[in-house]
Amino acid sequence: MPDITRDDIIEILERIALLLDLKGENPFKVRAYRNGAEAIRTYSGDFIAVAADGDLKGIKGIGDALAKKVHQLVADGKMEYYENLRTEFPESIFELFEVQGLGPKKVKAVHDALGVNSIADLKRACEEGKVAELPGFGKKTAEKILEAIAFRESHADEHRQGDLAAPVEMVLGFLRDLPAVSRAEVGGSYRRGKEVSHDLDFLCATKEAQAVMDAFAGAPFTESVIAHGKTKTSIRIAGGVQCDLRAVSNAEFPFALAYFTGNKDHNVAIRGRARDKGYTLNEYRLAPLDDPEHAADLGIEDERGLYRFLGLDYIEPELRENTGEIEAAESGKLPQLVKLENLRGTFHNHTTASDGRATLAEMAAAAQDLGLQYLGIADHSKASFQANGLDEKRLRDQIAAIAELNAGFDGFRLFAGSEVDILRDGSLDFGDDLLAELDYAVASVHNVFTLSEADQTARIIKAIENPHVTMIGHLTGRLLLQREPYALNIEAVLDAAAETGTIIELNANPWRLDLDWRWWKLAKAKGVKCAINPDAHSTKGLQDLFFGTRIARKGWLEKDDVVNCLPLGKIEKVLAAKRDRKG
C-alpha cells in the first residue's frame, strides 16, 4: 500500500474543493469535499486502515462517491478525479488562497479576468492597476491585497507553533530511537514556547557523531539536505521547515542545551554570572577563565545543575527571554508556572449549531475523554452569519438541550454560553435579557477591524462594562503569519477588565494565541484573570489547550491566575461574580 497519510488525504480533498470553487461548480458539491476533509480530520480511529478496507460508510460526512475516491487514493497512492482536475490549473494557483482577504470568489475573478495564476502574477496585476479595475474590487481592495502579500513575504520563513509540534515529535522520536544517541532534545525558540519559529534546533548526545549525522541526512522525513557535516547537519522537511541537528558529548549536553534554548540576552546574562564566579561559559563547557579549553569538574549533569551552580533557581525554558527571570531566580521569586494537567475545564467551544464540526454530545464526550470536569459551549451569535450564528430562539433551544444533557452526567457539566459579537458601536448582538439566561458569555470582535485605536478601544471597553460579559475572546484579532492585530490600547483594556472583573481569554488556537504572552505579566499585575480557551471547532480542537498552556507559562502565569484551573463546584462562582457584583 502506498505511503499516504491522513494529512495527505485531507489536503487533497481541500484542494479539490478549492479547484471546484474556481470552476464555479455547485456549492453543495464543493461543501461535500470540505465536509469530508473535516470528517477525516476529526475521526478518532485509524482512518488509513479503515479507508484501505473501503469501509467508510459509518463515518459521518463521507458519502459513497467520496468513499470510493478516498479508497482509491489510499490503495493506489493517487486519485484519478483529482489528477484530472489539477491539470486544468497550474500548481501555483493554490498560493493565491493563502493571501489574507482573497477568498475563492476573488481568486476566480482575478484568474478568469487577468490570467492570474500565482502570487507573483497577482502582485504584478495589483501594481499595474488591473485588479483595481475589476468589478467588486477597486483601489482600496488592491492596496489591501498588496499589503497582505507584503505581510506574507515578510513572514515567509516562519512557522506557527501548532504546525511544528508534530514535526518536533517526529524528529525527536527518530533521534531517540538511534542506538548511538543517549539524549536528544529540541531547543531554540520552539522550546521557549514562542508563537512562531524560523527553524527547529535539535541537539543530541552521542559518541558517534558522524553516524548520527548520516542517519539524520538520510531520514525518511528529509526532503533536502542543506548542509552535512561531522557534528552539524541541516535539512529541510515537509512544509519547508529547516531542521538543524548538533551532536555533542554527554558531558557537553547540559551546556549546549542551555545555550541553544535561551535567547541572546538571556545567554549573555548567564555568561556574565559565570564570569563573576571566575568561569567562562559557552555551548560546550563551563571552564576556568585561565583555562577555557578544559571543562571544570563540577558534576553538572543537566541544566538544573548549571543554574544551581550559578546561584539561581531553575528557570523554565519558556521564561528564558531576559524579562526579569534571572533576578527572580536569584531571589527565589520565580512563578510556579501553570501546567496543562492543572486545567479542569475550558470555555469558548463551538458545535454544529454554528460553525463547529461536532455535536453537543460529541464535544462533551471528548472533553470527558481528556479528563475535563466541565466544558463551556459558546457558539456564534446571529451577527456572525458567515458562521451560521444562532439567533435568540436557536440559542434558547441550545440552553434547553444543554440542561437535558447535564441531567445525565455524573461529575461533569456543560456550561451554556455564547460567543456574542461586539458590534461596531460596542453594543452586543444579544440583549441583556437573553445574556442573563446564560451561564457565561464570551464577547468577541469579528468584523470592522479598521477602526482607529481610540474607537476600537472604546468599542471593546463598552462591551467589558456590560455586567453579562464574562470574558473577552481573542482580544487583538490577530491571525499569526496572516493578519496583524487591529489597533488597540491594550493597557487601557486591561485596566477596564481589572476594574470590572472581566476575564481575558488566552485563545489557544495556534493561529491566534491571543492575548500575546508579552502582555500577561502586566495583566497579572493588574489583577486580570485568564481563561485558556481552545476556540475549538471540533473535538480535536480541544487539544489546542496544550498550546495555550505553553503561552500562559511564557506569560509567567500560575495556576491561580487561570480561572479554568478551578474545579467544578468553584468555577460557577467565578462565572457569576461579575453579574452578581453589578446586581
Side-chain angles (χ1 to χ4, degrees):
M1 188 172 70
D3 190 18
I4 291 288
T5 68
R6 180 194 298 236
D7 288 342
D8 292 333
I9 300 170
I10 292 169
E11 181 181 8
I12 287 172
L13 296 187
E14 289 177 339
R15 284 189 163 204
I16 290 173
L18 292 175
L19 295 178
L20 291 177
D21 249 341
L22 286 179
K23 284 169 62 70
E25 287 278 4
N26 186 312
F28 293 102
K29 186 175 182 180
V30 175
R31 193 175 303 132
Y33 284 94
R34 291 207 170 99
N35 289 344
E38 188 60 28
I40 296 168
R41 183 180 285 111
T42 58
Y43 183 71
S44 59
D46 185 347
F47 182 81
I48 298 299
V50 173
D53 292 339
D55 185 19
L56 298 171
K57 289 184 179 179
I59 300 179
K60 182 181 176 182
I62 300 181
D64 291 342
L66 182 55
K68 290 178 182 177
K69 292 184 177 71
V70 171
H71 173 68
Q72 181 188 53
L73 178 59
V74 173
D76 301 340
K78 62 181 180 179
M79 182 194 298
E80 185 178 353
Y81 179 74
Y82 173 58
E83 297 301 324
N84 292 335
L85 186 62
R86 65 190 294 192
T87 61
E88 300 180 37
F89 300 91
E91 185 71 17
S92 58
I93 198 78
F94 294 108
E95 296 177 1
L96 297 174
F97 294 97
E98 298 174 12
V99 178
Q100 174 66 20
L102 202 67
K105 289 183 180 179
K106 281 190 165 58
V107 171
K108 178 175 171 56
V110 296
H111 171 74
D112 291 351
L114 304 175
V116 167
N117 290 321
S118 67
I119 289 178
D121 291 345
L122 179 63
K123 184 177 181 181
R124 191 181 311 112
C126 286
E127 291 172 341
E128 292 174 355
K130 295 178 181 178
V131 170
E133 295 173 355
L134 293 178
F137 282 79
K139 184 178 179 181
K140 186 170 288 187
T141 298
E143 289 173 352
K144 289 289 185 184
I145 290 172
L146 283 174
E147 288 175 9
I149 292 172
F151 181 80
R152 183 180 183 274
E153 289 173 346
S154 68
H155 295 281
D157 62 343
E158 294 179 326
H159 308 275
R160 299 176 196 89
Q161 185 182 135
D163 296 328
L164 295 175
V168 165
E169 292 306 310
M170 174 182 68
V171 174
L172 284 178
F174 174 82
L175 292 173
R176 289 168 179 166
D177 283 344
L178 294 176
V181 171
S182 58
R183 288 194 272 184
E185 289 290 349
V186 66
S189 57
Y190 182 85
R191 188 173 183 232
R192 295 201 308 278
K194 289 288 288 292
E195 61 273 37
V196 296
S197 297
H198 288 278
D199 51 30
L200 293 173
D201 297 299
F202 293 94
L203 192 70
C204 69
T206 180
K207 294 179 180 179
E208 303 174 43
Q210 188 64 69
V212 172
M213 294 297 114
D214 293 344
F216 188 62
F221 47 73
T222 299
E223 292 197 344
S224 63
V225 178
I226 301 168
H228 186 177
K230 294 180 179 179
T231 59
K232 179 184 175 183
T233 293
S234 297
I235 64 169
R236 207 172 297 283
I237 63 174
V241 181
Q242 180 175 328
C243 299
D244 300 330
L245 174 64
R246 292 172 175 84
V248 296
S249 69
N250 196 56
E252 293 168 337
F253 191 83
F255 309 105
L257 184 58
Y259 180 87
F260 289 111
T261 296
N263 77 352
K264 180 180 178 181
D265 292 336
H266 177 90
N267 287 347
V268 167
I270 291 296
R271 290 198 297 270
R273 290 187 69 88
R275 280 196 303 274
D276 292 343
K277 287 181 169 288
Y279 291 85
T280 179
L281 175 64
N282 60 27
E283 63 265 46
Y284 299 113
R285 65 186 68 88
L286 184 66
L289 286 171
D290 57 2
D291 189 12
E293 296 302 317
H294 295 90
D297 186 11
L298 299 168
I300 295 175
E301 298 181 351
D302 55 25
E303 288 180 309
R304 291 182 182 275
L306 173 60
Y307 280 101
R308 187 163 50 246
F309 173 79
L310 296 173
L312 301 172
D313 289 343
Y314 177 66
I315 300 175
E316 296 285 355
E318 295 94 336
L319 301 185
R320 300 181 200 175
E321 300 280 353
N322 198 36
T323 58
E325 72 276 8
I326 294 172
E327 295 81 0
E330 185 176 38
S331 59
K333 296 180 179 179
L334 282 172
Q336 296 297 309
L337 299 179
V338 64
K339 299 177 181 178
L340 180 62
E341 54 264 34
N342 295 147
L343 299 186
R344 294 292 175 262
T346 191
F347 307 95
H348 193 170
N349 302 285
H350 300 270
T351 73
T352 50
S354 62
D355 60 345
R357 298 294 182 182
T359 64
L360 276 173
E362 289 168 341
M363 291 295 285
Q368 291 175 82
D369 286 344
L370 290 176
L372 300 180
Q373 297 176 1
Y374 53 88
L375 185 74
I377 301 299
D379 275 312
H380 289 284
S381 63
K382 61 183 184 295
S384 287
F385 58 89
Q386 76 287 350
N388 191 32
L390 281 64
D391 60 18
E392 287 81 354
K393 181 183 182 304
R394 292 175 62 214
L395 180 55
R396 286 192 168 100
D397 288 344
Q398 188 180 73
I399 293 171
I402 287 173
E404 185 176 345
L405 282 171
N406 280 336
F409 292 137
D410 182 15
F412 178 82
R413 177 176 172 180
L414 286 173
F415 285 103
S418 171
E419 186 184 14
V420 58
D421 269 37
I422 303 174
L423 305 180
R424 181 175 185 142
D425 64 355
S427 62
L428 301 177
D429 198 22
F430 289 136
D432 286 354
D433 57 338
L434 177 54
L435 294 176
E437 297 177 37
L438 298 169
D439 295 315
Y440 72 103
V442 182
S444 303
V445 169
H446 286 117
N447 55 33
V448 194
F449 299 146
T450 56
L451 295 179
S452 68
E453 179 181 297
D455 288 345
Q456 197 73 274
T457 302
R459 173 191 192 182
I460 293 175
I461 288 177
K462 182 177 177 180
I464 285 174
E465 291 171 345
N466 186 305
H468 300 287
V469 170
T470 318
M471 60 189 77
I472 298 294
H474 44 72
L475 179 59
T476 72
R478 76 178 184 183
L479 292 176
L480 290 167
L481 306 185
Q482 189 173 85
R483 184 174 73 205
E484 293 277 20
Y486 40 68
L488 189 67
N489 184 335
I490 296 177
E491 187 166 357
V493 170
L494 293 178
D495 284 336
E499 183 179 348
T500 59
T502 305
I503 299 161
I504 298 295
E505 172 184 87
L506 197 169
N507 190 294
N509 185 309
W511 283 69
R512 293 188 182 274
L513 300 179
D514 183 12
L515 184 63
D516 187 284
W517 61 269
R518 296 162 184 84
W519 286 101
W520 281 109
K521 278 179 73 176
L522 178 63
K524 177 177 178 174
K526 290 178 180 291
V528 176
K529 295 296 185 180
C530 168
I532 301 175
N533 294 330
D535 199 352
H537 285 70
S538 65
T539 55
K540 185 179 179 182
L542 293 173
Q543 296 176 22
D544 286 344
L545 289 169
F546 168 78
F547 302 110
T549 305
R550 294 191 84 201
I551 294 298
R553 288 169 62 83
K554 194 157 190 63
W556 292 57
L557 296 187
E558 301 178 87
K559 182 179 177 181
D560 290 344
D561 302 316
V562 180
V563 296
N564 44 317
C565 289
L566 290 170
L568 197 59
K570 291 187 177 181
I571 188 63
E572 294 89 340
K573 185 177 181 181
V574 172
L575 295 180
K578 182 180 176 184
R579 189 181 301 171
D580 290 347
R581 182 166 69 174
K582 291 293 183 182

